[in-house]
Amino acid sequence: MARSTFQTLPGTRDILEPDASHLRGLVTLFADLAAGAGFGQIIPPMFEDTEVFTRLGEASDVVSKELYSFEDKGGRNIALRPEFTASVCRAFAQYRPTTPWKTWYAGPNFRYDKPQKGRYRQFDQVGIEVIGSHDPQLDVEVIALAQRFFDDLGLAVELRINSLGDIAERPAYLQDLNSYFEQNRDSLSEAARATLSVNPLRLLDAKRPGDAAIAAGAPTILDSLSNEAAAAFAEVRNGLDTLKIDYTIDPLLVRGLDYYNRTTFEFAAPGLEAAQNAVGGGGRYDGLVEALGGPPEPGVGFAIGVDRTLLACEAAGVLPSSGNTIDVWVVDATGSADVGLLVVEELRRSGLKADRSYDGRSMKAQMKNANRSGAAVAVIVGEDEMSSGTVSVRSMADGTQEQVQRGQMLAAVRSGLAQGRETKDGEDRT
Ligand code: HAM
């Protein structure tokens, strides 16, 4: 194929069919699950005051390296959202709704990430946030909703959980961590040493094997939790046990954003490459609403990476569908507006998914189009049918065809579709 003048930018993609249908199917499934658990939708703007995101913590790559920020024509510093949580907290601070405020969302995010399979500069997330409750049972419910979503998709995932303790106990732990890594400084890679000076916590999930080996021996935060944080973490684990949700405790799980305290968790799809196998994650962020100028309300939530989840579904052969294949194709050998426009409109208004060919193509070419569309039934109108006020309704599966009065068309198409479904069910069973 000739290369066109313009191509999508690195890390961005056109999502065409059938991928777009899969994506829609996934979002619909998520929306139904969230609504069924008392969540209302929020659709925040895609860009905000840059500071909304810098308050997520300058030590994370998402803020320090990957933010799409620029000055708009009015001289404002704005940024494309790299995630939803900050916008949800900003919205909470702005409107002060009654608590607990339970919202779900779906849409694109932007990160100047290194593009590769499963890692894009524009990617979609679905997620939930609950603001206004400290209850550890809520942490369990939030995790359970994500788990239910993966279960409903039919996708096997692995859940890891951790507690990052409270912000108040963080400095003492960071000091311990810092002195441990300083003792091992000579064995750390250059990149790890740079991370150490910004945020030693991030070194815990270091990917380079040498760094990871050192991180594995680091003091764990689970050993320095306050009584309250330890009790909350125990309650979360008990709740997961009660719901029979499998998990492993991973004291090295720190997540890529800096706002977390207490419960953190991540879901991985074992079918994907290790570097991009995180299909979703989240946790508590009890200080974020206040950091964004709101009241000191706690929060907990998660986001699931839609693109990666779909890659994992594809690898596992469980792609969700929005079920929008065409039911019926209209083949018109007359070129008359009565057929081309009226018949198609009548089918569509009756709720059937109908399509047709254009430009007066030959009968053969139109039948080819019908075949390719996957339609189970074709409505054919030739000169004969035109003059006798009839249409022919053809089963695309076995080629049987009946001529019916125009007034009987909808009933004949519906019965053709029902027969097609029965034949297909029969084939699926054998
Ligand atoms: P996150 O871990 O940064 O968390 O992103 C959540 C998910 O989004 C990841 O597990 C991954 O599947 C997907 N994702 C992230 N970056 C990319 C990328 N460049 N390309 C493709 N997929 C990507 C958050 O965003 C938090 N806001 C989650 C949260 C909600 N925590 C509390 N509430």
Side-chain angles (χ1 to χ4, degrees):
M1 224 190 300
R3 204 181 137 85
S4 67
T5 313
F6 297 110
Q7 306 274 320
T8 48
L9 292 168
T12 69
R13 303 166 303 146
D14 296 308
I15 301 176
L16 307 174
E17 292 293 352
D19 296 343
S21 286
H22 298 317
L23 190 147
R24 208 162 52 247
L26 186 151
V27 173
T28 305
L29 177 69
F30 188 81
D32 289 346
L33 265 186
F39 288 79
Q41 187 175 8
I42 178 170
I43 308 176
M46 274 190 236
F47 56 86
E48 303 251 10
D49 188 320
T50 302
E51 253 199 78
V52 170
F53 304 118
T54 50
R55 297 218 180 152
L56 297 178
E58 307 264 9
S60 68
D61 284 356
V62 172
V63 174
S64 64
K65 298 184 187 154
E66 298 171 1
L67 212 54
Y68 276 92
S69 54
F70 52 96
E71 197 182 287
D72 75 3
K73 292 187 199 305
R76 297 175 198 88
N77 288 320
I78 65 175
L80 301 185
R81 70 166 174 239
E83 56 118 51
F84 280 82
T85 313
S87 295
V88 173
C89 292
R90 191 266 312 135
F92 181 88
Q94 189 169 341
Y95 306 112
R96 315 279 166 116
T98 47
T99 55
W101 193 46
K102 299 169 73 174
T103 56
W104 72 271
Y105 50 78
N109 300 286
F110 307 87
R111 296 184 190 178
Y112 196 77
D113 217 332
K114 197 169 159 215
Q116 51 205 291
K117 192 173 180 188
R119 193 174 289 280
Y120 310 104
R121 289 182 175 166
Q122 178 176 334
F123 61 95
D124 274 81
Q125 284 182 341
V126 290
I128 57 170
E129 311 291 349
V130 186
I131 294 176
S133 168
H134 286 285
D135 195 335
Q137 284 199 8
L138 189 56
D139 304 25
V140 178
E141 279 203 21
V142 161
I143 295 174
L145 195 145
Q147 181 68 60
R148 208 154 61 239
F149 172 68
F150 291 120
D151 289 347
D152 285 0
L153 275 176
L155 185 68
V157 289
E158 286 165 3
L159 168 64
R160 289 177 300 140
I161 64 169
N162 191 18
S163 172
L164 292 182
D166 287 322
I167 302 293
E169 62 217 41
R170 191 75 54 83
Y173 174 64
L174 286 182
Q175 219 163 30
D176 285 357
L177 205 55
N178 206 38
S179 51
Y180 169 80
F181 282 122
E182 282 298 344
Q183 280 159 25
N184 292 281
R185 190 179 181 84
D186 293 346
S187 316
L188 288 172
S189 69
E190 187 121 358
R193 274 183 239 153
T195 309
L196 180 58
S197 59
V198 191
N199 184 359
L201 210 55
R202 292 306 323 274
L203 265 190
L204 288 178
D205 70 349
K207 297 286 178 287
R208 285 189 182 81
D211 299 333
I214 295 170
T220 88
I221 194 152
L222 290 178
D223 292 331
S224 56
L225 294 183
S226 66
N227 290 342
E228 293 81 15
F233 192 45
E235 214 179 309
V236 171
R237 294 193 315 265
N238 286 340
L240 293 174
D241 294 340
T242 303
L243 296 182
K244 298 196 167 41
I245 294 174
D246 284 339
Y247 60 88
T248 51
I249 297 170
D250 181 357
L252 299 181
L253 175 67
V254 285
R255 313 252 319 114
L257 291 147
D258 287 341
Y259 48 63
Y260 293 106
N261 66 309
R262 295 206 173 181
T263 315
T264 53
F265 56 93
E266 213 160 88
F267 288 91
L272 296 179
E273 262 179 55
Q276 277 87 239
N277 74 355
V279 283
R284 276 209 164 265
Y285 46 86
D286 294 342
L288 189 56
V289 176
E290 197 174 12
L292 285 163
E297 291 285 3
V300 59
F302 68 75
I304 286 170
V306 169
D307 311 75
R308 270 187 211 177
T309 300
L310 287 173
L311 283 175
C313 286
E314 192 181 2
V318 294
L319 277 170
S321 159
S322 65
N324 66 342
T325 36
I326 287 292
D327 295 319
V328 49
W329 196 272
V330 177
V331 174
D332 164 30
T334 69
S336 136
D338 268 6
V339 183
L341 293 177
L342 282 177
V343 170
V344 173
E345 182 70 8
E346 187 181 339
L347 289 163
R348 287 177 182 162
R349 277 191 183 259
S350 79
L352 291 165
K353 295 176 189 122
D355 204 355
R356 55 173 283 201
S357 312
Y358 299 94
D359 297 318
R361 307 190 76 187
S362 72
M363 188 83 161
K364 199 169 151 205
Q366 292 188 52
M367 285 309 292
K368 235 188 200 169
N369 291 156
N371 252 320
R372 199 172 299 159
S373 74
V377 168
V379 166
I380 303 169
V381 191
E383 295 299 341
D384 265 9
E385 284 92 350
M386 189 69 173
S387 55
S388 59
T390 60
V391 296
S392 291
V393 176
R394 180 187 178 91
S395 154
M396 297 302 289
D398 60 15
T400 53
Q401 195 165 309
E402 65 169 330
Q403 200 165 345
V404 299
Q405 289 299 317
R406 172 72 191 274
Q408 302 302 311
M409 175 180 74
L410 290 179
V413 168
R414 289 221 161 83
S415 112
L417 288 172
Q419 264 167 29
R421 271 192 292 273
E422 273 171 30
T423 320
K424 197 168 174 304
D425 284 354
E427 280 166 5
D428 289 348
R429 271 196 297 275
T430 50

